[in-house]
Amino acid sequence: MNDFSKSPLFLNARQIAERLGLSVRQVRALAKDGRIPEITVGKNTRRYDLDAVVAALTTLDNANKENTHAE
């Protein structure tokens, strides 16, 4: 039997937005700017690894805090 509990959780933009308290527009803008990773599935379908997005946003938030304190 496969253990899928350690598999990444791939969600669409709406699902990521709901879980993180963002708008779908914000999720898509962050991905377009390269601030969060996205996976292209097919021609027009994008998916997001929840753990990777959270890690990217945490890193981005920490970098912003360090830059704010340095000024």
Side-chain angles (χ1 to χ4, degrees), residues 23-39:
S23 70
V24 172
R25 181 176 280 177
Q26 287 173 309
V27 170
R28 291 184 177 144
L30 288 167
K32 183 179 179 184
D33 292 342
R35 294 179 179 192
I36 62 171
E38 71 178 355
I39 297 136

Side-chain angles (χ1 to χ4, degrees), residues 25-68:
R25 181 176 280 177
Q26 287 173 309
V27 170
R28 291 184 177 144
L30 288 167
K32 183 179 179 184
D33 292 342
R35 294 179 179 192
I36 62 171
E38 71 178 355
I39 297 136
T40 303
V41 182
K43 187 175 179 180
N44 295 315
T45 304
R46 310 262 189 287
R47 293 291 181 260
Y48 305 86
D49 176 344
L50 180 60
D51 292 335
V53 169
V54 169
L57 291 175
T58 301
T59 301
L60 183 63
D61 187 45
N62 288 339
N64 286 339
K65 287 179 183 177
E66 288 176 10
N67 288 339
T68 303

